[in-house]
Amino acid sequence: MTQQRRIRVLPRTLVNRIAAGEIVERPASVVKELVENALDAGARRIRVKIEGGGLQKISVVDDGSGIDPRDMLLAVQSHATSKLEGEDDLWAIPTFGFRGEALASIASVSRLEIRSRTADAMEGARLVAEGDVLEGATPWTGPQGTTVEVSDLFFNTPVRLRNIGSPGTEATHVATRVRELALGNPAVSFRLISGGKESIFSSGSGDLAQAVAEVFDAEFAGKLLPLYPGETNAIMSGLVGPPDLSRARRDRQFFLLNGRAITHPAFSAVLDRAYEGFAPTGRHPVAIVILNVRPDRVDVNVHPTKRRVRFHDERELTGRLYRGVQGALLSMKVSRWDIPGGQGREDDAREFHPGAVLAEEQVAYGFARDDEKIRVDRVFENLEPLGQVLNTFIVARGPGGLYLVDQHAACERLYYDVALEASERPDPPAQRLAAPAIVELDGRTMELWRLWGDVISEMGFEVEPFGPGAVAVRSVPILAGEPAPAGLLLEILERLGEGASSTPSSTRAAAALAACRASVKAGEALGPAEIRGLIARMAALRAPGVCPHGRPTVIRIDRTDIDRLFRRA
Amino acid sequence: MKVITDQSQLHAGLQMAYRAIAGGTAHPILTGVLLTAQEGILHISATDLEKSIEAVIPAAVEMPGSLVLPGRELNEIVGRIPGGDIEISAPEDRHQAVITWRASEFVLNGYPPDQFPALPLADGSGAFSVSAGDLVRALSKTVFASSTDDSMPVISGVRLRVGDGRIQATATDGYRIAVSEMEAPGAGGQVMEVAIPRKSVADLVRVLSSAAGEEDASVVLSENHIFFDLPSGVKFSTVLLEGQYPDVLSMVPAPGDYRTRAHFDRAEFAGACSRTALLAEDHRGARPLRLHLKEDRLIIRASSAELGEAYDEIEARVDGPTLDILFQAKYLIEGLRNIGPERLIFSLDDDEGAARMQGEDDSEFYYVVLPMKPRE
């Protein structure tokens, strides 16, 4: 697999160019370094075992290429690495570790034992280091690959030890690292045994979705959407969560660059942006993004832990990610009514979690039928309204069954989109008023108007001061063909006050508010013409199947489910 | 109660009152009609609590009394009887009517008449008389411009201004104003203002047309209601809009105060607008028509990023500076439907202010429309 390279001491000049820093912060960082070494050695199976959160003992066993006995001693010396030969190579790092610091750093704060055998050698070697004291390598026989055992981490650095969390906390950190590595390397089988119990197992199937199912759970994995295929390629691929999986924290966003987990705030920001209008502000999507970037197009040497990187083609990647997430969201299927006993769908393409409950149907991996017609971006084109029930829902006939449209949610989406467009396109259409509408503002809203006047006028309002406590509205924006009521100004100002954040997202917040304000309320009777008009206008939108808060605007009741309810099946 | 009455008169009275019956989900008694028989007359009343209609027909009253019967069923039964005398009788102690015609007999369950809401009394301060035909024209020419926006209830109807021998109907939604004004010799003295809800206007127009024709209607105003007493005995009343109707007319220039005036053929302009509007499509559903007025021409343009462009021009006599101005197509087209006769005057000041349309020989109706904000 990986070509065997001899280990040598790095030239001094190169050592100096490498960002210095402490690598070994806690057990999880030891695990990460050791696993990355194993991956570099071409391991197909990696077993991590920890005791006491890794403070008592960490062992990493791999089936990789192993270390030549002659190199064993060199392996634990500072800046000894088999991965870089000269300065030019630093800009083309294809492997995980490269600084040659890892084993040496770990050895300096623990009792370290390495046992390894290469494929072509009958006999391997064993080496023990304790603090800075090295014993010589001794012959050892065992399976091909490398085993590294780290005991009594930080035994000689009591200060560091004091800053370490409880074994439970540390075990959690280790698990997080192993999970990331398993997601980043779906073709490698990972096993984490913590305190004698297996806590993570991945089979190394090579399929990202399956790796997600294995390290998290099948139901979660089953809901994820592949990044839009038109935007994925050898460089970027991955999975993104539908709106109902969005989270208050970004703890399930994984960016895996060449198998290594990185944090990249620019990508996180792109995810949030691509999600706007699909989930409430402040919610963050779940995403697992796999990046395979040519080593010479990325600088991983920004930070000693290598979690921060710099991309040469940052703009291209963020654009691709944005469009990939958008495409994934638009390709979602209309939510299907989850009828009890109606699980195990005939069109459930994910075979690895039979019986999982899918509240939301996701993009297909190749099943045909009417799938294109029930995507959230297409469904309204294919609906034929039949009437209204409970003054709240529109009943419609559509591909493969019966559809219920939530009229309020649908209107919210409609008005959100038009209001958003209003704020994004310069010089929007606006109607002059016969008599200026006087809107009374208190001190706070008056201040907000002074602050946000530009945004307000971008939306199509023409507002002038009118005495100390009021403004005169001379023009109002046209929303969905009709002039908006002047009173909307006050509500937008109040909403801008609540947000008090940066301009772009607040404009969107104002758009969302305008949407709610102008929406048809639930409980309002609609005539046949109004219903047809609403459905037709929804069909023209980009993402009509989801309301701006991420709730569905329409649900599907399939023929098979109706049959089941009537016990016809 | 026991009355005998002619089928066609009974049916006409029911058809009239039926308009005021409340729709589906209202209290059941509001879906009924109140029949009251006394002294040779049968009163037929219905109300949905906003508007009320009462019709009277001659009847042989053998026993006075009153009863509420389901309006739709009674109306259908009477409508299916080809003619002749119909007898309606009801025992004192039961809310049930027996309707007989020849050998046909219907026993129809009703409601106790004391549960039927009392109709408002026409005891207001102001009273005048007006030609029903004039009032119909004034209302039906203006009501289209009233607001349909629930957030502006005060302008969701037609404002009537009566006095000094004139009657004026005004309607606006804030973006255009329709005004119809005519002499009304019966409306002398003190000027009074009321606003009739849009929903009641349509019913009032129908009742006035069918029950009064060109005859005079006597009108009484109270604080919350307006009452119409029509020559045929039909009474109509409706609640009034609450709140101060805004003085929108004071905001628009007087007829002589516009700098540009164009004279052209109404039908040609209406045709050009409706044709070009087909390709008028802006974002957010706006449908702007761009008008260009110069010397002998009025040019109408529209465009749509998706569909293409439209151009039309008509002959016009334009006095004053040339002008470019944008209007929502709907506001022009709806106004033009109500303007007569053939030539009209289009008066404008600049591309931001109100524009006025009026027939050259029409002193009864004019229409003020506000442009869209000028675009870059």
Side-chain angles (χ1 to χ4, degrees):
Chain A
M1 183 101 209
T2 316
Q3 199 198 341
Q4 181 69 24
R5 284 175 160 193
R6 296 290 305 273
I7 297 177
R8 78 213 101 242
V9 175
L10 291 176
R12 193 77 220 158
T13 51
L14 182 53
V15 170
N16 291 341
R17 292 206 53 170
I18 294 175
E22 196 66 69
I23 300 169
V24 186
E25 292 170 342
R26 59 188 348 151
S29 30
V30 173
V31 169
K32 171 181 168 292
E33 295 295 335
L34 296 180
V35 170
E36 287 182 353
N37 281 347
L39 290 166
D40 287 342
R44 310 295 304 170
R45 285 198 302 272
I46 299 172
R47 192 195 69 191
V48 180
K49 214 169 154 181
I50 57 171
E51 297 291 340
L55 292 164
Q56 279 172 32
K57 191 168 181 182
I58 298 168
S59 80
V60 174
V61 182
D62 71 55
D63 61 353
S65 56
I67 303 169
D68 189 301
R70 288 166 294 175
D71 293 337
M72 194 67 102
L73 201 57
L74 217 47
V76 292
Q77 288 178 0
S78 264
H79 298 294
T81 180
S82 60
K83 298 157 194 167
L84 286 178
E85 296 197 4
E87 199 165 342
D88 290 346
D89 275 1
L90 184 55
W91 310 115
I93 299 167
T95 53
F96 289 85
F98 67 92
R99 291 197 188 90
E101 304 175 64
L103 282 177
S105 303
I106 295 166
S108 67
V109 292
S110 69
R111 297 186 174 89
L112 180 79
E113 179 175 336
I114 308 176
R115 300 188 293 272
S116 188
R117 181 173 71 78
T118 59
D120 45 7
M122 290 299 291
E123 194 168 71
R126 171 176 177 274
L127 179 143
V128 176
E130 190 172 315
D132 292 327
V133 184
L134 279 184
E135 291 172 20
T138 55
W140 173 82
T141 18
Q144 184 205 325
T146 304
T147 298
V148 180
E149 280 182 12
V150 177
S151 314
D152 302 328
L153 189 61
F154 304 132
F155 78 97
N156 54 356
T157 53
V159 175
R160 172 59 62 100
L161 201 52
R162 235 178 284 144
N163 294 327
I164 293 289
S166 70
T169 309
E170 293 308 317
T172 308
H173 284 294
V174 170
T176 303
R177 287 287 162 272
V178 173
R179 239 180 234 122
E180 286 172 354
L181 287 157
L183 293 175
N185 301 276
V188 177
S189 170
F190 283 82
R191 190 184 295 274
L192 171 65
I193 297 159
S194 179
K197 284 203 300 207
E198 179 179 286
S199 70
I200 293 173
F201 173 73
S202 74
S203 61
S205 66
D207 178 39
L208 176 62
Q210 177 147 356
V212 175
E214 289 162 348
V215 303
F216 293 109
D217 62 79
E219 187 188 337
F220 173 77
K223 287 183 163 195
L224 300 183
L225 312 160
L227 288 183
Y228 181 61
E231 294 297 337
T232 58
N233 57 10
I235 294 175
M236 182 184 289
S237 60
L239 299 166
V240 61
D244 62 329
L245 286 188
S246 66
R247 298 165 77 83
R249 295 189 299 145
R250 299 184 205 270
D251 58 342
R252 285 206 180 169
Q253 293 185 355
F254 300 94
F255 305 107
L256 300 147
L257 168 63
N258 300 340
R260 168 194 298 154
I262 57 165
T263 55
H264 200 61
F267 285 166
S268 295
V270 163
L271 289 177
D272 285 354
R273 214 170 67 230
Y275 241 58
E276 277 178 17
F278 284 92
T281 331
R283 301 286 294 179
H284 305 293
V286 166
I288 297 140
V289 180
I290 304 287
L291 296 142
N292 294 301
V293 177
R294 262 177 52 199
D296 60 338
R297 304 303 296 165
V298 59
D299 180 5
V300 297
N301 202 13
V302 178
H303 190 269
T305 61
K306 303 172 209 168
R307 284 188 73 86
R308 291 290 180 93
V309 301
R310 218 171 269 138
F311 291 103
H312 295 228
D313 310 303
E314 171 95 17
R315 196 173 280 244
E316 203 257 326
L317 290 173
T318 51
R320 203 174 270 281
L321 179 60
Y322 179 81
R323 295 188 301 269
V325 174
Q326 284 265 298
L329 291 171
L330 293 178
S331 67
M332 285 187 298
K333 300 266 171 44
V334 169
S335 300
R336 181 170 160 182
W337 182 26
D338 209 14
I339 291 175
Q343 301 151 10
R345 306 281 166 64
E346 81 285 359
D347 55 1
D348 184 353
R350 301 284 181 81
E351 290 171 356
F352 56 82
H353 55 90
V357 181
L358 290 186
E360 198 112 15
E361 299 256 322
Q362 309 310 350
V363 75
Y365 296 129
F367 53 87
R369 220 185 38 166
D370 280 332
D371 280 347
E372 281 298 300
K373 292 184 183 164
I374 59 174
R375 287 166 50 135
V376 291
D377 58 340
R378 302 281 303 280
V379 65
F380 278 86
E381 296 163 29
N382 299 300
L383 295 188
E384 185 193 332
L386 304 172
Q388 190 193 32
V389 287
L390 303 171
N391 283 351
T392 303
F393 304 105
I394 294 165
V395 185
R397 180 167 32 219
L402 186 67
Y403 290 73
L404 287 179
V405 177
D406 178 336
Q407 67 192 42
H408 177 66
C411 283
E412 267 189 322
R413 166 54 71 185
L414 179 65
Y415 285 96
Y416 178 84
D417 278 22
V418 291
L420 190 60
E421 194 193 46
S423 64
E424 284 179 347
R425 290 174 70 158
D427 197 21
Q431 174 66 43
R432 303 272 304 178
L433 299 182
I438 308 305
V439 176
E440 289 180 11
L441 301 181
D442 60 18
R444 198 177 63 91
T445 43
M446 185 62 89
E447 187 55 37
L448 287 165
W449 173 60
R450 293 205 182 93
L451 216 56
W452 294 95
D454 289 348
V455 172
I456 294 295
S457 71
E458 272 169 26
M459 293 185 78
F461 285 99
E462 195 183 350
V463 185
E464 291 168 4
F466 191 81
V471 290
V473 179
R474 300 201 161 271
S475 299
V476 292
I478 292 175
L479 297 180
E482 298 291 338
L488 182 57
L489 172 70
L490 185 59
E491 295 182 43
I492 287 173
L493 286 175
E494 280 167 356
R495 180 60 182 263
L496 288 170
E498 286 165 27
S501 54
S502 62
T503 308
S505 69
S506 290
T507 309
R508 281 173 186 263
L513 172 89
C516 293
R517 172 60 181 74
S519 295
V520 172
K521 306 278 183 299
E524 191 170 310
L526 298 178
E530 290 171 291
I531 291 173
R532 275 196 308 278
L534 176 61
I535 300 288
R537 274 148 66 183
M538 292 297 287
L541 302 182
R542 202 174 49 92
V546 189
C547 93
H549 305 104
R551 292 192 303 269
T553 59
V554 55
I555 61 161
R556 173 166 69 102
I557 305 171
D558 251 30
R559 168 69 193 259
T560 49
D561 294 325
I562 300 171
D563 280 347
R564 192 170 359 240
L565 285 173
F566 284 108
R567 308 209 177 128
R568 286 166 57 103
Chain B
M1 184 181 100
K2 186 171 179 183
V3 294
I4 296 164
T5 179
D6 176 66
Q7 182 272 341
S8 65
Q9 289 192 318
L10 179 59
H11 191 227
L14 285 169
Q15 292 278 78
M16 185 70 70
Y18 188 65
R19 291 183 208 289
I21 283 179
T25 54
H27 190 283
I29 198 147
L30 296 179
T31 66
V33 290
L34 172 69
L35 304 180
T36 304
Q38 57 187 28
E39 294 165 18
I41 288 176
L42 179 65
H43 298 257
I44 306 168
S45 318
T47 182
D48 61 3
L49 298 180
E50 288 195 356
K51 58 182 178 290
S52 312
I53 300 174
E54 183 186 334
V56 290
I57 57 167
V61 179
E62 294 186 7
M63 191 191 300
S66 59
L67 180 68
V68 179
L69 290 177
R72 191 171 71 89
E73 288 72 15
L74 181 62
N75 190 29
E76 294 283 328
I77 290 168
V78 173
R80 279 169 172 70
I81 291 172
D85 283 350
I86 295 175
E87 183 192 290
I88 303 174
S89 61
E92 281 294 324
D93 53 341
R94 265 184 297 170
H95 312 302
Q96 195 176 57
V98 181
I99 300 159
T100 42
W101 172 77
R102 296 190 193 163
S104 305
E105 184 180 284
F106 304 86
V107 180
L108 195 56
N109 297 326
Y111 308 96
D114 53 348
Q115 286 181 11
F116 198 79
L119 302 188
L121 286 175
D123 62 350
S125 49
F128 60 94
S129 74
V130 63
S131 148
D134 283 352
L135 191 55
V136 164
R137 275 188 293 281
L139 291 171
S140 47
K141 278 187 159 196
T142 51
V143 66
F144 76 94
S146 63
S147 174
T148 52
D149 188 334
D150 292 340
S151 72
M152 297 185 274
V154 72
I155 53 171
S156 63
V158 177
R159 196 268 308 266
L160 281 183
R161 195 165 187 276
V162 183
D164 283 341
R166 296 188 72 75
I167 182 158
Q168 183 195 58
T170 310
T172 186
D173 56 7
Y175 321 112
R176 62 321 192 7
I177 310 166
V179 185
S180 183
E181 210 170 359
M182 55 198 67
E183 288 183 9
Q190 190 199 344
V191 176
M192 294 168 288
E193 285 186 9
V194 294
I196 304 174
R198 186 186 174 98
K199 278 185 283 182
S200 298
V201 168
D203 291 305
L204 173 59
V205 163
R206 280 192 218 104
V207 168
L208 285 172
S209 318
S210 59
E214 292 295 321
E215 290 183 69
D216 278 2
S218 11
V219 187
V220 173
L221 297 175
S222 75
E223 201 175 325
N224 301 316
H225 289 83
I226 184 166
F227 304 87
F228 295 84
D229 212 337
L230 307 180
S232 55
V234 173
K235 292 183 167 69
F236 180 96
S237 70
T238 172
V239 294
L240 297 171
L241 288 180
E242 287 176 26
Q244 178 63 46
Y245 196 90
D247 191 7
V248 280
L249 290 180
S250 69
M251 302 287 187
V252 301
D257 291 348
Y258 296 89
R259 288 190 292 172
T260 301
R261 282 155 184 279
H263 298 251
F264 47 80
D265 186 84
R266 186 201 67 88
E268 278 185 19
F269 183 50
C273 286
S274 64
R275 283 189 298 274
T276 47
L278 295 173
L279 297 192
E281 204 177 59
D282 205 342
H283 44 299
R284 293 199 259 156
R287 302 177 82 83
L289 295 184
R290 183 176 290 280
L291 306 191
H292 179 64
L293 297 98
K294 61 170 185 185
E295 297 144 34
D296 57 349
R297 288 265 168 284
L298 167 54
I299 294 164
I300 304 110
R301 282 198 184 89
S303 66
S304 151
E306 224 164 274
L307 298 169
E309 290 177 5
Y311 174 98
D312 216 325
E313 63 170 52
I314 61 168
E315 275 182 41
R317 200 187 83 224
V318 180
D319 303 322
T322 62
L323 192 64
D324 252 313
I325 189 166
L326 276 174
F327 290 101
Q328 275 264 66
K330 174 176 117 167
Y331 296 159
L332 289 182
I333 292 167
E334 288 183 354
L336 287 167
R337 280 195 201 121
N338 291 285
I339 292 175
E342 277 317 302
R343 298 284 295 176
L344 69 83
I345 313 169
F346 195 24
S347 316
L348 310 98
D349 209 27
D350 56 26
D351 62 355
E352 295 195 1
R356 178 184 172 115
M357 287 199 276
Q358 186 162 15
E360 265 185 7
D361 309 312
D362 184 2
S363 57
E364 285 196 349
F365 179 81
Y366 66 94
Y367 183 63
V368 173
V369 56
L370 273 291
M372 291 174 68
K373 209 169 115 190
R375 308 286 297 277
E376 298 307 318

